[in-house]
Amino acid sequence: MAELEGMENLVSAREILKGSLEKSRDIAFEINKIGPRLEKTNQSLPFLEAAIKDMACKSRLYEIRSHVDRAIGPAAAVLKILDVVFELEDSLMDDPGSDIFAYIATVKRLEDALKLLTDNSELVILWLEDFVQFLKDSAVSDDHWYLMNVWKALDILWELQATGQNGGVLVAVLDKLENEYRHILTENSFPFPLYSLFPSHKGKANILPVSLPLPIVQKLQAINERLAANNRLENCVSIYAQVRSSNVRASLQALDVDYLHIQLSEFDSAQTAESYIDLWDKHLEYAVKHLFDKEYSLCNEVFQEAGSDVWMHCFGKIAIQSGINDFIKFGSTITKCKKDAVKLLKLLKIFATLNKLRLDFNRLFGGKFCVKIQNQTRDLVKNVVTEVCEIFWELCIQVELQRQSSPPPDGSVPRLVRFVTGYCNKLLEDENRSVLIQVLDIYQVWNHERFEDGLVLNEIHNIMKELELNLNSWAKAYKETALSCLFMMNNHWFFCNNIKGTKLGDLMGHSLLRAHEEYFEYYATMYLRESWETLPVLLHEEGLILFPGGRAIDRELFKKRINMFNDAFDDMYKKHSNWMLSDKSLRLTICQLVVQAIVPPYKNYLQKYDYGIENEAEIGSHLKYTAKSLEDLINSLFQQKVGKFDGTKCTDLIGIKNAIINHFSMPAAA
């Protein structure tokens, strides 16, 4: 069995060996066929090697060229833009005023060209620098024309970058635009004409409009737009505010507003500044309604494209630089003056002015750029309201305090009476009364108090009551009963004739005026009874006739009684010559009453007992006065003496001496 298996293995091995021999013969045959071809290929290898080397060199040059084209192309474009910038620079050296809109258009082109330079030059430089490195890495020699062109482009771009990409040109051009902006404004800004508002100033200012013509506004707007695009709008605002505020100041200076800078030490009282306050009212209204209102609108027009914050900021600059604060400071100075009654009227005038302009102030100066003006105005209003109320509530007390003073020695109407009645009439004028009520109402609201109707009228009524009490007290101070009566007669006549038909008279009422008339008649009667009516009694007839039923008279007794009358008349005339009746009509009336009381009895006495009295040639020997000369003397009584108060009405409170005001003034607030 084992032998059989061994035989089979031998047969298999023989078959395998046979197949291997056959394959070897086939391979040998094929090798013999390839040999000639390998020999031919071997002979061609040197030529192939040279071709490959040439192909590799050409491929590398093509790669360099693509890098050059990619870098040099943009660089050339940037350099062309630079050429355009130089051309624009030359054209912008001309005067912009010749055609401002064309000039601005050229500036816009310059901005665009410079922006292209800015946007592209850095990138191009990076590309060229990378390409130089590539050439070096590619072992390209420095004198190769590719590398030389790249270095040339880089030199130009580096120089351009070092000089700020020619931005200095734009800065110079924008400076020229700013100068042109100032020139346009200056050439077209003129003081506002005053003749239409203040005829007395006619001819003192140019008769030209305060606003700017539309073509000028359009030029300014165009310049604003260009400068704003270059972050220079604030420069426009500053230039505009400087020029226009100077224009406003020139308009105000034409009004002579130097009084706005007067110091508190230069005012004795608010009355000293009375004329200035009247000017202040007119000038402030003029400034707000005719200057600042137009500047406000003009700012809006010129800077409308820049937004509300810009033009309101510009107007705020104009308002402050023009001196609106000077008006407010002047009002504040008045509030710090010594307290007196006249100051109250002046403060009412200031409040009325501010209230009249309140809506204008809120509109013009209500923005966030006029906070300083708002605060100063608010403080002024607060001080005015406080001062008015403090003075008003002290008026009655101040009248009462004058009760301790002495009455006029000549029996005339005291200056205080004239002042207070005129002052109360002034307070009751429609404008002052309404303003005073408004101020008192505001003050009580601030202090959380309720305002009562009729408060002002009641207080003025109380003031007049205190004044009447003063008169009664002063009348008792006279030692002469006749002078006391003349004093009361003077004052009651004054009330009858100076408050009748006035606001104060309406407040006091018809019954009170009628009472003054009755008091006048009473004191006139008492005055005559206590003085002149005592003289005719001296001319009595007792003992003159020597024989009953006869005509013979005792001449000595007659002369004695005439002399007694003359002496009494002289004494009384001398005394009453120092007394004064303030009103001309009153003086004529009283003189006529005195004449009626004395002259007819005197004349009858002479005619009855002194025969031939009608013969003027005989008068000098035994008579001092004729009836006519006596009447003339009486009519010369009660005249105003030189240096005395002139007795004119004081209802307008204008021209009152400081002494009168001081007589009715109050201590300054602590």
Side-chain angles (χ1 to χ4, degrees), residues 182-470:
R182 183 186 299 276
H183 175 74
I184 292 173
L185 276 172
T186 304
E187 289 297 312
N188 292 277
S189 295
F190 303 95
F192 187 66
L194 307 179
Y195 67 94
S196 58
L197 299 172
F198 303 99
S200 62
H201 289 84
K202 186 173 182 180
K204 288 192 177 182
N206 296 307
I207 306 175
L208 292 168
V210 70
S211 189
L212 297 175
L214 180 59
I216 299 301
V217 172
Q218 291 172 339
K219 289 181 180 180
L220 297 176
Q221 290 173 336
I223 297 176
N224 284 341
E225 182 181 358
R226 275 291 33 86
L227 292 177
N230 291 276
N231 298 319
R232 286 199 178 203
L233 185 59
E234 183 60 32
N235 294 5
C236 292
V237 171
S238 297
I239 294 171
Y240 185 92
Q242 180 184 9
V243 175
R244 295 303 296 180
S245 61
S246 175
N247 188 65
V248 173
R249 286 196 304 272
S251 295
L252 290 175
Q253 284 302 319
L255 299 175
D256 300 327
V257 292
D258 291 340
Y259 66 88
L260 295 177
H261 304 286
I262 294 179
Q263 300 299 314
L264 179 62
S265 58
E266 300 179 56
F267 290 138
D268 293 333
S269 66
Q271 188 198 11
T272 309
E274 182 175 4
S275 60
Y276 294 143
I277 294 172
D278 292 337
L279 286 176
W280 178 86
D281 168 62
K282 296 177 182 178
H283 292 169
L284 180 58
E285 182 176 5
Y286 159 75
V288 171
K289 290 186 174 294
H290 298 277
L291 291 180
F292 291 111
D293 182 76
K294 287 182 171 58
E295 292 298 336
Y296 182 86
S297 300
L298 194 57
C299 275
N300 183 12
E301 190 175 357
V302 172
F303 293 99
Q304 59 182 338
E305 297 299 328
S308 60
D309 273 3
V310 173
W311 68 261
M312 291 183 72
H313 174 50
C314 181
F315 174 73
K317 282 177 169 284
I318 293 173
I320 293 174
Q321 294 176 15
S322 300
I324 185 66
N325 290 334
D326 292 338
F327 285 95
I328 302 173
K329 289 178 182 177
F330 175 83
S332 297
T333 300
I334 299 301
T335 65
K336 298 173 185 176
C337 288
K338 178 180 63 177
K339 285 186 179 180
D340 58 40
V342 170
K343 179 181 177 181
L344 185 150
L345 294 173
K346 300 303 130 188
L347 293 178
L348 289 180
K349 180 74 170 178
I350 291 175
F351 182 89
T353 300
L354 295 174
N355 191 50
K356 174 176 58 179
L357 299 173
R358 178 170 53 88
L359 295 180
D360 296 288
F361 261 75
N362 291 341
R363 177 173 57 87
L364 298 176
F365 312 117
K368 61 183 179 182
F369 300 104
C370 296
V371 173
K372 183 178 180 181
I373 298 174
Q374 297 166 26
N375 291 338
Q376 290 183 339
T377 306
R378 191 179 298 113
D379 290 342
L380 174 57
V381 172
K382 181 180 179 181
N383 292 338
V384 168
V385 169
T386 301
E387 287 286 303
V388 165
C389 293
E390 289 180 357
I391 295 174
F392 180 73
W393 292 122
E394 291 183 27
L395 289 176
C396 195
I397 297 173
Q398 292 302 317
V399 173
E400 181 183 358
L401 290 175
Q402 303 306 318
R403 199 167 298 163
Q404 304 304 319
S405 61
S406 300
D410 59 2
S412 60
V413 178
R415 291 175 295 183
L416 182 67
V417 173
R418 295 178 178 278
F419 178 80
V420 171
T421 53
Y423 184 81
C424 289
N425 254 325
K426 199 75 174 174
L427 284 181
L428 289 171
E429 288 181 359
D430 292 340
E431 182 177 358
N432 285 332
R433 177 180 169 185
S434 62
V435 174
L436 179 57
I437 290 173
Q438 186 178 2
V439 169
L440 292 172
D441 190 12
I442 291 172
Y443 185 79
Q444 293 192 302
V445 168
W446 288 351
N447 291 277
H448 309 289
E449 299 175 1
R450 180 175 171 272
F451 181 80
E452 298 178 2
D453 295 336
L455 185 149
V456 172
L457 300 181
N458 290 337
E459 191 63 19
I460 292 178
H461 205 282
N462 292 335
I463 292 172
M464 294 304 297
K465 284 184 178 179
E466 292 297 331
L467 189 61
E468 290 183 20
L469 291 175
N470 285 7

Side-chain angles (χ1 to χ4, degrees), residues 656-668:
I656 303 178
K657 301 295 184 184
N658 285 335
I660 305 173
I661 306 305
N662 294 335
H663 192 58
F664 190 43
S665 62
M666 305 156 197

Side-chain angles (χ1 to χ4, degrees), residues 532 565-577:
W532 301 102
F565 175 87
N566 289 340
D567 292 342
F569 177 84
D570 288 344
D571 290 342
M572 192 167 293
Y573 178 82
K574 181 179 180 181
K575 182 188 299 182
H576 288 229
S577 293

Side-chain angles (χ1 to χ4, degrees), residues 532 569 573 577 587-588 591-592 594-596 598-599 602 616 625-639:
W532 301 102
F569 177 84
Y573 178 82
S577 293
R587 185 169 65 250
L588 294 176
C591 286
Q592 188 62 34
V594 173
V595 167
Q596 291 175 2
I598 294 178
V599 173
Y602 180 75
E616 295 292 336
Y625 300 114
T626 65
K628 181 66 170 61
S629 62
L630 200 64
E631 182 176 352
D632 290 341
L633 280 174
I634 293 172
N635 285 330
S636 69
L637 286 170
F638 314 120
Q639 298 282 349

